[in-house]
Amino acid sequence: MPISNPRFTRPKRLLVASSMSVLLGLTLVACGSDSDSAAADTATVSSASVSTSASSTANSDVVAAAQAFTASLTDEQKTSLEQEYSLENAQKWSNLPQALLRGGQGRIGLQLSELDDTQIAALDTLLKTVTGTSSGDGYDEIQQLLNADDYLSANGGGSDYGSGNYYIAFLGTPSDAGTWELQFGGHHLAVANTYIDGALVGATPSFRGVEPFGTFEENGTANAPLENEQTSFAALLGGMSTEELSSAELDAVYSDLVLKPGNDWAFPTTKEGVAVSTFTPEEKQLVMDAIATYVDDIDDADAATILAKYESELDQTYVSYSGTTGVTEQNDYVRIDGPSVWIEFSMQHGIVLSGNHPHSVWRDRTTDYGGTQA
């Protein structure tokens, strides 16, 4: 029967250490369609490859899980789920609740409240397949974020909030050949995995936020989503010298993210802050630890590949911040900006509840939306 607040089973997870010592190439070439007959908002992307058999196997499992989920749906539900692969559709994500989105900017796809128990189980299998197994990241983090929205619904937010208000969409047809995107999200959550010929070629934009921030009880468990991110940033800033913090501090006050929803491909041309190339090995590891709390949201094999790429670019990466180094106060802000990686963490004022809560985004200068800008 349909359920308004779907629950996902939470398996026991082992903390998996990501491999960052070997660079496993991630290659992507993408371009907009120049065909006179093609729709202006439709992206045409060339093939890409990931150089590990583990990644190939994992992504083949993604297609199988996606097809199994589709098979569980009614024809009407499939019509909602299956959308055109285009940049216009890929950009329909937000940190806001669906009820607050206006003017055709709302999410597309199939709403979770329309799914029965069997369909929820099939979706759960798909989410486990595309996400990482680290505690507090990946699949575990998504479950905690869904719990957070149920908590908001029951504690002042009302029907605009709750896990039933999240959406799943397939942009294009899941297949080992061709291009498609898995889009999943709702309030404070956006998953955007783009696949070409069975390989993951982009896992961004990836948005995470949470209200309430801190530990709360919901769905029979203690939740503390984004704790990994916040503590990693606090450890990074806390491990820097006074001179390094002075170089890293930004002049402006940042009350929100720079590359928030709707502000695509707006990467600054000049990097700000302190160069990671000047860091000690221990400080460099703190930077990688912070990056890993984002990259570990995707499946373990692909996460290892991307982390290796980011590590290879570490000496061309910069760290900056504004506000306090504890990263808990309103307007506290931290940024990691590399040749590829872009991560922001911003503490916001409360909306439904008192107290501060974070917004955070992981983007990639080369592979956002699978690399297409057209």
Side-chain angles (χ1 to χ4, degrees):
M1 62 181 178
I3 49 179
S4 59
N5 289 304
R7 302 294 191 183
F8 295 82
T9 57
R10 187 190 308 280
K12 294 182 179 178
R13 296 294 189 182
L14 296 176
L15 182 61
V16 177
S18 297
S19 170
M20 299 183 292
S21 59
V22 181
L23 177 60
L24 307 172
L26 179 65
T27 305
L28 174 67
V29 180
C31 62
S33 171
D34 58 2
S35 171
D36 291 340
S37 61
D41 61 353
T42 301
T44 302
V45 189
S46 68
S47 63
S49 62
V50 176
S51 63
T52 66
S53 59
S55 294
S56 299
T57 300
N59 293 329
S60 179
D61 291 343
V62 170
V63 172
Q67 292 173 341
F69 173 63
T70 302
S72 74
L73 304 177
T74 66
D75 289 343
E76 183 178 0
Q77 289 172 322
K78 290 176 185 176
T79 299
S80 297
L81 173 74
E82 297 166 345
Q83 302 286 330
E84 177 189 12
Y85 178 77
S86 68
L87 183 59
E88 180 182 4
N89 280 342
Q91 289 174 316
K92 290 183 177 179
W93 63 276
S94 176
N95 60 287
L96 297 174
Q98 182 79 355
L100 300 185
L101 297 174
R102 299 289 185 266
Q105 296 304 307
R107 296 174 185 86
I108 56 175
L110 181 60
Q111 190 172 351
L112 267 61
S113 61
E114 301 300 317
L115 303 180
D116 64 24
D117 290 346
T118 299
Q119 295 162 341
I120 285 291
L123 174 58
D124 193 49
T125 297
L126 174 59
L127 291 177
K128 290 176 185 176
T129 306
V130 303
T131 54
T133 61
S134 296
S135 177
D137 294 318
Y139 176 84
D140 185 35
E141 183 176 62
I142 288 177
Q143 306 316 301
Q144 293 186 50
L145 293 176
L146 293 173
N147 287 342
D149 231 52
D150 286 337
Y151 183 94
L152 284 182
S153 178
N155 289 274
S159 61
D160 288 351
Y161 298 86
S163 54
N165 292 316
Y166 286 65
Y167 284 73
I168 174 75
F170 295 161
L171 311 186
T173 302
S175 172
D176 288 326
T179 302
W180 70 285
E181 179 186 320
L182 187 156
Q183 191 177 78
F184 178 75
H187 179 226
H188 281 158
L189 174 64
V191 175
N193 285 12
T194 303
Y195 299 88
I196 298 179
D197 295 342
L200 179 72
V201 297
T204 59
S206 178
F207 187 97
R208 302 291 187 273
V210 66
E211 186 179 14
F213 182 58
T215 302
F216 62 93
E217 295 287 333
E218 183 64 29
N219 195 22
T221 188
N223 304 269
L226 270 74
E227 181 181 54
N228 286 355
E229 290 84 345
Q230 185 272 328
T231 56
S232 292
F233 278 126
L236 170 59
L237 296 179
M240 292 164 57
S241 69
T242 301
E243 182 179 356
E244 288 166 340
L245 286 173
S246 178
S247 297
E249 189 169 12
L250 297 163
D251 292 332
V253 174
Y254 287 82
S255 59
D256 202 352
L257 304 172
V258 175
L259 268 71
K260 57 189 175 183
N263 202 26
D264 298 316
W265 301 106
F267 299 98
T269 56
T270 302
K271 296 191 186 313
E272 298 180 277
V274 61
V276 176
S277 60
T278 66
F279 281 6
T280 66
E282 292 77 14
E283 290 172 318
K284 288 182 178 182
Q285 184 59 55
L286 290 174
V287 177
M288 288 306 303
D289 290 346
I291 292 174
T293 64
Y294 293 82
V295 181
D296 281 349
D297 287 337
I298 63 174
D299 70 274
D300 297 342
D302 285 314
T305 301
I306 295 173
L307 281 169
K309 176 187 177 184
Y310 290 166
E311 185 178 39
S312 74
E313 299 173 342
L314 200 57
D315 282 347
Q316 292 78 50
T317 300
Y318 286 72
V319 173
S320 58
Y321 82 102
S322 66
T324 74
T325 58
V327 200
T328 58
E329 302 301 318
Q330 185 176 343
N331 297 334
D332 282 355
Y333 173 87
V334 190
R335 179 193 306 169
I336 296 176
D337 183 8
S340 302
V341 67
W342 172 278
I343 292 171
E344 296 177 85
F345 187 96
S346 170
M347 290 300 294
Q348 313 278 309
H349 62 82
I351 301 298
V352 177
L353 306 171
S354 61
N356 301 320
H357 73 280
H359 287 182
S360 191
V361 71
W362 166 34
R363 288 187 180 253
D364 191 293
R365 288 174 176 267
T366 59
T367 62
D368 255 17
Y369 298 110
T372 186
Q373 300 183 43

